[in-house]
Amino acid sequence: MSVAIPRTAVTAARRFIDRWLFRLSGPEAAPVVLGQRRVFVLPTAAGVAFAATVLLLLIGSINYGLGLGYALTFLLAGLGFVAILHAFRNLVHLKIEYGRCEPVIAGSIARFPLVLSNGRDDARIALALSAGGGTPVIADVAPRAAETAALRVVARRRGWQPIGRVRLHTTFPLGLVRAWSYVEPDLRCLVYPAPERDAPPLPPSGDAADGRRPGAAGSEDFSGLRDHRPSDSPRHVAWKSAARGDALLTKLFEDGGSEPLWLDWDRLPAGLDTEARLSRLCAHVLLAKSSGASFGLRLPGGAIAPGRGAAHVEACLKALALYGEPDGD
C-alpha cells in the first residue's frame, strides 16, 4: 500500500536541503562569492571508468607483483587527484555580479547577464552556466579580469520573470570530475505582453470629429519622416526622397490644436478577456509609437497622461506588463 506524502512536507524538505547543502535561502544580493562549502565535486562517466581502470591495474599489480604496474597505477591515481583539485579550484572563490536585463516581449528570449570576476592569478577555464533548462553558456575568465555571460531563458508570460536557480559547473581540466554549484541571483526581467497579431487600427481620437484620419499625426508643422504605408495619403509622401532612389517615406506633421489619442481599456470589445485586452493595447501602443501620435493609456485603477517618446512608450508597456501583478513596482 502506497502512502501519499503531503506536498507541504516535500516543499519543506527541499527548502531544508537548499539551506543546509546548497546554502540557498532565496534570491541572493550581489555580489555572490562561491565559498568552499558551496562547491561540490563528483566523478563524470569518464571519471568512473578511469577509477575502475586504476582499480583493475592495482589488483593486477598486486596479483602478479608488477613493479611497473604499481608505478603506472599510482601515476594515474595521482593524475586523478590532481584533476579533482583543479576542477574544485576552477570554481571556488568565483565572484558573481549582475548586469541589467532589457525588457522583452512575452514568447521571446530574455537575457540575464551575469558578470564573473576572477581575483586569482590563473585563468578559470570552461565554466558552464545554465538556468531555466536553457542551453549552457560557456565562459573563460582571464586572470584578474571579469567576463559577462548572458543566460538565455524563454519569457513565457508577462510581468517580472526572475532568473531562478543558476547552475555553474566545470569538467576542466581532464573531464574526469565535475565541480558544480548553485546560485539564485536577485535578478529579474520585465516581460511585456505579446502584441496582438493583425490588431485592428488605432481607435478614433479627438481629431476624428473634424474629418481627419483617426490616430493620425497633425497637418501643420513638419515633424519628421517614417516608413510609408499603403494607407498613407499620396500628398504626404516624400517624393523628392523617392526620386533620389531612397526608400519610400511619409512626412509626419504636428498640429498644435489636435487632441491626443487615448488607448482606453473600457472602450475595447466586451468579449475580450484580460490577456487579450492587454495584447491589443500593447499592439496599439506600438502602432501609436510608429505613427508619431501623442497618446495616453487608461487602465482600471489608473491612467498615463498623453505623451510621446521612448520613455513614455516604456512607461505604457510597463503598466501593461504589470497590470494585476501583486508586485507591480
Side-chain angles (χ1 to χ4, degrees):
M1 176 174 118
S2 60
V3 179
I5 301 177
R7 181 174 298 180
T8 54
V10 175
T11 303
R14 287 179 177 174
R15 289 178 179 173
F16 174 77
I17 292 174
D18 287 343
R19 290 194 303 268
W20 174 72
L21 185 61
F22 300 129
R23 301 293 187 269
L24 296 177
S25 57
E28 304 174 84
V32 177
V33 179
L34 300 182
Q36 296 182 2
R37 299 187 64 183
R38 295 188 61 165
V39 179
F40 307 89
V41 178
L42 287 174
T44 62
V48 172
F50 180 84
T53 301
V54 172
L55 180 60
L56 290 176
L57 286 174
L58 178 61
I59 294 173
S61 300
I62 293 174
N63 287 342
Y64 296 101
L66 300 176
L68 291 179
Y70 282 117
L72 179 60
T73 299
F74 294 130
L75 175 63
L76 294 178
L79 189 63
F81 285 115
V82 169
I84 294 174
L85 174 62
H86 280 277
F88 178 80
R89 293 187 71 254
N90 207 27
L91 276 187
V92 73
H93 298 155
L94 180 70
K95 184 167 73 171
I96 304 167
E97 297 176 292
Y98 315 146
R100 181 178 183 275
C101 296
E102 297 293 337
V104 297
I105 296 294
S108 61
I109 301 296
R111 296 171 59 88
F112 295 92
L114 299 179
V115 181
L116 310 177
S117 299
N118 180 15
R120 292 208 313 251
D121 293 327
D122 51 336
R124 299 178 188 263
I125 308 297
L127 303 178
L129 299 89
S130 60
T135 303
V137 175
I138 308 299
D140 297 332
V141 188
R144 302 289 178 180
E147 184 71 23
T148 300
L151 302 186
R152 299 164 60 89
V153 180
V154 178
R156 303 191 182 279
R157 57 180 299 274
R158 67 177 178 88
W160 287 115
Q161 175 165 324
I163 188 175
R165 185 175 297 184
V166 177
R167 182 173 185 261
L168 299 92
H169 68 95
T170 180
T171 58
F172 177 84
L174 300 177
L176 300 179
V177 295
R178 176 178 286 107
W180 54 278
S181 182
Y182 284 118
V183 297
E184 190 170 348
D186 187 11
L187 185 62
R188 59 184 186 173
C189 177
L190 182 60
V191 183
Y192 298 145
E196 180 182 6
R197 293 185 179 182
D198 302 322
L202 290 171
S205 67
D207 300 322
D210 61 13
R212 289 174 52 192
R213 183 168 55 87
S219 57
E220 292 183 357
D221 300 324
F222 176 75
S223 63
L225 298 170
R226 64 162 168 79
D227 294 337
H228 178 73
R229 301 193 188 115
S231 59
D232 292 336
S233 172
R235 64 191 181 90
H236 289 162
V237 175
W239 295 111
K240 291 184 179 180
S241 176
R244 292 195 301 266
D246 298 336
L248 200 59
L249 302 173
T250 296
K251 299 176 183 178
L252 295 178
F253 299 89
E254 290 184 353
D255 188 343
S258 64
E259 301 234 355
L261 168 69
W262 277 101
L263 305 179
D264 196 332
W265 175 284
D266 293 329
R267 292 185 181 179
L268 296 178
L272 296 179
D273 61 16
T274 298
E275 296 303 322
R277 288 171 181 263
L278 294 173
S279 293
R280 179 164 298 184
L281 288 174
C282 180
H284 282 171
V285 167
L286 297 178
L287 286 174
K289 172 189 174 183
S290 63
S291 69
S294 175
F295 68 96
L297 177 65
R298 289 194 182 105
L299 295 173
I304 297 177
R308 290 188 179 93
H312 177 68
V313 172
E314 289 178 5
C316 292
L317 292 176
K318 182 177 181 179
L320 295 174
L322 300 180
Y323 177 76
E325 294 283 326
D327 182 11
D329 59 344

